[in-house]
Amino acid sequence: MIARRCSGGKKGPTIAVSGPPGSGKTTYARRLAEDLGLQYYSAGMIFREVAREQGVSIEELNRIAAEDPSIDLEIDSRTLEIGCRGGVVLEGHLVAWVLGGVADVRIYVTAPLEVRIKRIAMRENRPLADVYRETVAREYMHWRRFLDYYGIDVNNLQIFNLVLDTEPLSVEEAYAVIKTYTCRLLAKKGFRLEACSR
């Protein structure tokens, strides 16, 4: 298990945005980082970096990772390292759990499965049945992996400061909730971000 503590001081807040595929987490995390003047990272970016370093495709690294837990542990370790620097918004299905107490704000965005499947199918121009199979399998793997590696049930959302169902809201409405909440919580924790006062 990786330690969820930082050895040095952070340079600014660390915000974790998690949620299942098709929830909108990437959209909101990118925009939050841009608006608040923070760096943006995703678990996907870190995964691609590891694939490049190993000289394999993303698909190949996925196959290797299914058999070799050290790949996921390396990605988690790098995620923690980035979170410990501060001044960052990190996004990914599992990043909030990886960052543990390192994150100053932990946001979980979600939507009903059928809504998320439609969003992904539309975005990727793929058949609903294929997206459904792939998404359900992916979510099960994430749940199983964290239970096996860390003893953490990712269906338990108690670690989050904000849990938001994006289905009944427009992108703008959901983002307004996320930004307002994030700014208020950061202010309570002593962070003064100029973008939050605008």
Side-chain angles (χ1 to χ4, degrees):
M1 180 155 192
I2 57 173
R4 290 178 185 79
R5 294 273 172 254
C6 299
S7 52
K10 291 195 303 173
K11 295 173 181 157
T14 298
I15 300 167
V17 181
S18 288
S23 60
K25 64 184 177 296
T26 303
T27 299
Y28 301 121
R30 278 185 188 278
R31 189 159 167 195
L32 199 57
E34 188 178 325
D35 284 359
L36 300 186
L38 304 172
Q39 286 188 297
Y40 165 81
Y41 284 93
S42 73
M45 288 164 64
I46 299 166
F47 193 83
R48 286 190 288 278
E49 183 181 90
V50 171
R52 272 196 310 274
E53 288 170 7
Q54 296 207 1
V56 297
S57 68
I58 291 167
E59 294 74 20
E60 181 60 25
L61 189 61
N62 265 314
R63 282 193 291 275
I64 295 167
E67 303 294 323
D68 181 0
S70 71
I71 302 294
D72 282 327
L73 293 171
E74 174 63 22
I75 290 161
D76 294 345
S77 176
R78 292 186 192 199
T79 300
L80 183 62
E81 186 183 317
I82 292 165
C84 282
R85 291 182 211 151
V88 66
V89 177
L90 277 141
E91 167 265 311
H93 193 152
L94 305 170
V95 297
W97 287 276
V98 172
L99 292 172
V102 171
D104 300 289
V105 182
R106 290 176 298 279
I107 299 161
Y108 189 86
V109 290
T110 190
L113 180 62
E114 63 275 10
V115 172
R116 296 189 289 104
I117 297 301
K118 284 178 188 168
R119 286 177 182 173
I120 297 167
M122 228 154 111
R123 182 177 73 209
E124 298 178 2
N125 195 25
R126 294 174 55 211
L128 280 170
D130 292 354
V131 173
Y132 177 84
R133 276 192 303 275
E134 183 182 287
T135 304
V136 169
R138 203 160 126 205
E139 288 181 28
Y140 175 77
M141 282 190 331
H142 283 155
W143 171 76
R144 187 78 250 174
R145 171 191 155 217
F146 250 53
L147 205 55
D148 290 347
Y149 292 0
Y150 303 129
I152 293 170
D153 181 355
V154 297
N155 293 322
N156 181 341
L157 304 181
Q158 289 181 331
I159 68 160
F160 290 93
N161 305 111
L162 175 67
V163 176
L164 183 64
D165 179 355
T166 61
E167 194 255 337
L169 304 172
S170 70
V171 172
E172 289 304 317
E173 288 168 336
Y175 180 69
V177 171
I178 290 167
K179 184 181 175 187
T180 301
Y181 185 89
T182 299
C183 284
R184 285 185 183 164
L185 188 53
L186 289 176
K188 281 188 176 181
K189 293 190 171 198
F191 292 102
R192 301 285 175 255
L193 298 181
E194 190 183 325
C196 285
S197 57
R198 292 199 287 265

